[in-house]
Amino acid sequence: MNPLDAAEGTPVSAVRGRKPPRSIAVGFAGKQGREYLPLLMKYSRPVGLVESSAEGEETARRLGLPHFDSVESALRAVDFDLALITVPHSAHYAMCELLLGSGKHVIKEKPFAITERDAESLTRLAVANDRSVYTLVQRSFVATFDFARRHLPQIGRPYWFAYDYHLDLPEPTCGWRADYARALGGVMLDMGYHVIDVINAYFGMPASVQSTFLHCYEEMRLRRLEDLASVQLYYPSGSMAGTVTVSRHYHEKTERLTVLGAEGTFRVEPGSAELRSRRGEYIDRLSPQTPKGAVVEAMFSHYVRHLDDREYRAAHLARQRSTVRLIDGIYASGAGRTACGAPPAVTVGPRPGDDGAEPSTDPNGGPERWRTDPTNSHCSVVSP
């Protein structure tokens, strides 16, 4: 069934007895927008749809909702509380800036921001306007990943992990993700955002990273959009390290996090989690039968319920800022790699605001858009 067909006629659900927020959807005709629009219909009261394509106008007509070709038009025409944003990466910041500055809550596709400076700017806007901006990253709502996070202490001191995440795309990347001007990065910014969100939640920020970007297809190399990212992460204690590998062109879709600890091991996948002793005996395991749709709905409804929760909002913003900073460092390291040499190590350690407080107002407090001018980066490069 077309998910937009499922949205038609869906009753609006009140959130814990409160009146559901009025909402708009921005960029709803794409894959992610089509996935989330039924949930917006269910957990809020849509008052308009924003999409420039003819398909978007037809969908709005069919659903009986006003159609707008821009966020500015929607702001002038209708009153709403919440905007759902599912657009290419390059459009995120300007839309969020406009909406937060207009006093609207935002739920958006990843990434939270492209650079740490943009992330800090959005955080200040959210705080100043007392509004939330939540990023749609699902792993925290997957039962196996939550199980692993809660039971991680049972394996003792972790000293190594490997997170491998591969898609099974048989052809080169297409659509807007194949256009650098709109994607602003390859697999690390796209798939890798989910991975880094998990890694930061489990282990906190590493001290430094080294990364290598590789290409299955020559056209992707010419467009500076990596097909594969391989990252080494080193932690402040000096007694833990990890690896992250994300790619689009494996023979099967697979995702697995393996953690080695002084007293046991963890293996986590979307559909299963296993905790074992060092001898290999099972200590605990979980194999839930939860469909992806239920996970997505749990995440979306949770965000809607917590639109006005300042404590949850602050924690979410801090985590997303650290995710953006780490990805910035990963790209900075990859950009510094020479043709015949190892990539440089880039320091990415914690900064003020990581505890959930508002970030520093120092204009030099975060990296610039180094992807177009690497000399602007405030990441420290250490010789390998």
Side-chain angles (χ1 to χ4, degrees), residues 13-24:
S13 299
V15 180
R16 292 185 176 176
R18 295 181 300 162
K19 190 175 181 180
R22 296 161 299 180
S23 65
I24 65 170

Side-chain angles (χ1 to χ4, degrees), residues 139-152 202 268 286:
R139 301 306 185 276
S140 294
F141 297 87
V142 175
T144 53
F145 284 93
D146 181 62
F147 172 87
R149 180 188 58 78
R150 289 184 289 105
H151 290 78
L152 195 60
Y202 282 21
V268 190
L286 181 70

Side-chain angles (χ1 to χ4, degrees), residues 107-291:
I107 297 178
K108 64 187 294 294
E109 257 295 343
K110 51 113 180 58
F112 176 68
I114 302 300
T115 68
E116 186 181 0
R117 180 159 294 172
D118 284 355
E120 292 189 343
S121 176
L122 290 182
T123 298
R124 283 191 289 271
L125 276 170
V127 172
N129 291 281
D130 193 25
R131 289 297 178 265
S132 294
V133 51
Y134 290 137
T135 305
L136 293 163
V137 280
Q138 302 170 11
R139 301 306 185 276
S140 294
F141 297 87
V142 175
T144 53
F145 284 93
D146 181 62
F147 172 87
R149 180 188 58 78
R150 289 184 289 105
H151 290 78
L152 195 60
Q154 291 183 251
I155 68 169
R157 173 186 57 81
Y159 60 90
W160 180 84
F161 67 83
Y163 200 135
D164 298 296
Y165 182 22
H166 304 279
L167 296 184
D168 56 352
L169 304 184
E171 304 293 339
T173 304
C174 61
W176 64 263
R177 286 181 173 83
D179 177 5
Y180 183 87
R182 291 188 288 172
L184 297 175
V187 290
M188 195 67 240
L189 185 62
D190 194 28
M191 296 165 58
Y193 198 93
H194 295 290
V195 173
I196 299 303
D197 182 64
V198 172
I199 294 304
N200 279 345
Y202 282 21
F203 308 113
M205 282 289 290
S208 65
V209 295
Q210 288 179 284
S211 55
T212 300
F213 298 143
L214 299 169
H215 302 85
C216 179
Y217 295 99
E218 178 66 8
E219 54 262 51
M220 291 298 106
R221 185 187 67 80
L222 295 174
R223 295 173 189 175
R224 296 180 296 147
L225 297 170
E226 69 279 2
D227 290 322
L228 182 146
S230 175
V231 185
Q232 301 283 333
L233 303 96
Y234 306 96
Y235 286 79
S237 66
S239 60
M240 188 177 80
T243 67
V244 165
T245 305
V246 291
S247 78
R248 286 184 173 139
H249 304 295
Y250 192 48
H251 70 273
E252 63 180 350
K253 182 176 180 179
T254 181
E255 182 175 0
R256 174 179 293 178
L257 170 62
T258 303
V259 186
L260 303 188
E263 299 174 18
T265 64
F266 242 128
R267 186 178 69 186
V268 190
E269 300 176 2
S272 64
E274 297 179 351
L275 169 64
R276 295 174 182 253
S277 72
R278 286 194 301 170
R279 295 180 178 276
E281 302 96 345
Y282 278 110
I283 298 175
D284 208 344
R285 70 177 105 181
L286 181 70
S287 299
Q289 302 299 313
T290 306

Side-chain angles (χ1 to χ4, degrees), residues 39-75:
L39 299 177
L40 193 74
M41 301 287 288
K42 183 174 182 179
Y43 290 101
S44 70
R45 183 160 61 89
V47 296
L49 300 177
V50 180
E51 172 68 53
S52 58
S53 70
E55 179 185 359
E57 186 172 3
E58 169 58 25
T59 299
R61 184 199 62 76
R62 181 160 54 84
L63 295 177
L65 293 170
H67 172 262
F68 305 101
D69 60 5
S70 70
V71 173
E72 291 86 348
S73 298
L75 284 167

Side-chain angles (χ1 to χ4, degrees), residues 319-330:
R319 180 162 159 183
Q320 299 313 306
R321 288 201 309 274
S322 67
T323 297
V324 172
R325 181 193 316 140
L326 182 47
I327 291 176
D328 256 350
I330 289 169

